[in-house]
Each structure stands twice: as C-alpha cells, then as structure tokens.
Amino acid sequence: DAGSRSHSLILINKAALPADRVTYLPRFPTVGMRGVQLGGIEFRDCPVPSDWVLGSPGQAMETALKSFQVTRSALPGMFLGILDTGLRTTIRYALERRLYGRTVAELPQVRSVLVDAFVDLLLCDCFCTVGARAIHVLPREVSVYAPAVKYLVSKVLIDAMNRLSL
C-alpha cells in the first residue's frame, strides 16, 4: 500500500538469504566511514520469515522517527571526544613551543583561543547531558531537544576545532 504504513523494519540474516534473489548494490560514497556498510540491497521474490519483522508490520516510519531522536541526542555527545583530543593536543603543543622568549600558551591571544575551546567543550557536554537525560525523563519533549542538540553541538564543535587549527 502507498503511504507511511507501507514500510516495515526487517532484521535480516544475510547468510540465510537465497543468493540468487539478493543483489548488493554499490556502496554510497562517504568520507571517513570506510568500515560502515552504506549501500543498498535489492531483493527479488525473496522469502522473509515473519519472525524477521521488527515490531508491528507497517510501523517502520514511527520506529525510524523515534530512533532519530535518540541518535540526534547521542551522536553529538560522542563527538565531544574529538574536541577534547584536539584541545589536549593543542595545549600540549602550546606548552612545549617557545616563541618570543616564552611558551606559546603564555601569549594572550593563544590563551583566549584555548579558554574559548574549553568553555565550548563544557557547554556542549552540558547540552548533550540535558538532551540525553530528556530521553528518559521527558520522552514526549525529546522531539524538541534532540534537533537542538544536534544543531547546536555540531556547530559549536566544528567552530571550536576550526579556531584551534589556526
């Protein structure tokens, strides 16, 4: 049937599929995700046992939308480690490198960039914590929190890393 009730989630066991009825489509081009299988699978008259269907038939859209709320809250929190590592690496360099008779970390402009990146890291950590906590304590409002976390944290992390790279 047409419409949102026409999709179901199926957890497949690739080893149990008949090889002549399944075609693996080319991988989608991505950057930095070589190990992830991001491609399509084409099924032709392929039998699927009913116990492979996840949840109720026709409920895939609702499940996908709910899972997006979780990933939009969780993934930005995982990316905090990138800024944390970038900040630690930059600080280590700034403390070792000498310029104008003192360490680079003693220069006011450099100190300002390092402090700003640290404050951004703390801000993002707090924002991600609130977003993740909302999944548990405010599940009806997560559709508001999750996109806010995804948008703000991603932008702040990228901007902070860009400032550290200068």
Side-chain angles (χ1 to χ4, degrees), residues 143-165:
S143 62
V144 175
Y145 285 89
V149 170
K150 178 186 179 271
Y151 174 78
L152 179 74
V153 172
S154 300
K155 181 172 180 5
V156 171
L157 291 177
I158 289 169
D159 290 349
M161 282 297 291
N162 285 338
R163 286 193 313 274
L164 286 177
S165 70

Side-chain angles (χ1 to χ4, degrees), residues 16-34:
L17 295 174
D20 61 330
R21 297 187 183 186
V22 177
T23 302
Y24 294 96
L25 303 175
R27 189 182 184 287
F28 299 121
T30 60
V31 176
M33 296 180 11
R34 289 184 299 271

Side-chain angles (χ1 to χ4, degrees), residues 47-121:
V48 176
S50 62
D51 62 342
W52 287 11
V53 176
L54 299 177
S56 301
Q59 298 293 312
M61 292 302 290
E62 289 87 346
T63 304
L65 290 173
K66 287 177 185 176
S67 66
F68 285 154
Q69 293 174 2
V70 174
T71 59
R72 286 179 179 150
S73 297
L75 290 177
M78 294 177 200
F79 300 149
L80 292 175
I82 296 170
L83 178 57
D84 183 71
T85 300
L87 182 58
R88 288 172 191 272
T89 303
T90 304
I91 289 171
R92 189 176 315 117
Y93 173 80
L95 290 172
E96 293 173 2
R97 174 79 163 101
R98 298 194 63 78
L99 193 62
Y100 309 117
R102 56 186 173 172
T103 66
V104 170
E106 294 176 74
L107 299 173
Q109 177 62 27
V110 173
R111 291 176 78 97
S112 177
V113 170
L114 295 173
V115 167
D116 287 349
F118 183 62
V119 169
D120 286 345
L121 181 63

Side-chain angles (χ1 to χ4, degrees), residues 109-144:
Q109 177 62 27
V110 173
R111 291 176 78 97
S112 177
V113 170
L114 295 173
V115 167
D116 287 349
F118 183 62
V119 169
D120 286 345
L121 181 63
L122 294 176
L123 168 93
C124 290
D125 185 35
C126 292
F127 211 67
C128 288
T129 301
V130 169
R133 187 76 175 124
I135 295 170
H136 300 286
V137 297
L138 300 168
R140 290 187 184 114
E141 286 82 18
V142 173
S143 62
V144 175

Side-chain angles (χ1 to χ4, degrees), residues 32-43:
M33 296 180 11
R34 289 184 299 271
V36 178
Q37 294 181 346
L38 289 175
I41 301 175
E42 184 178 279
F43 300 96

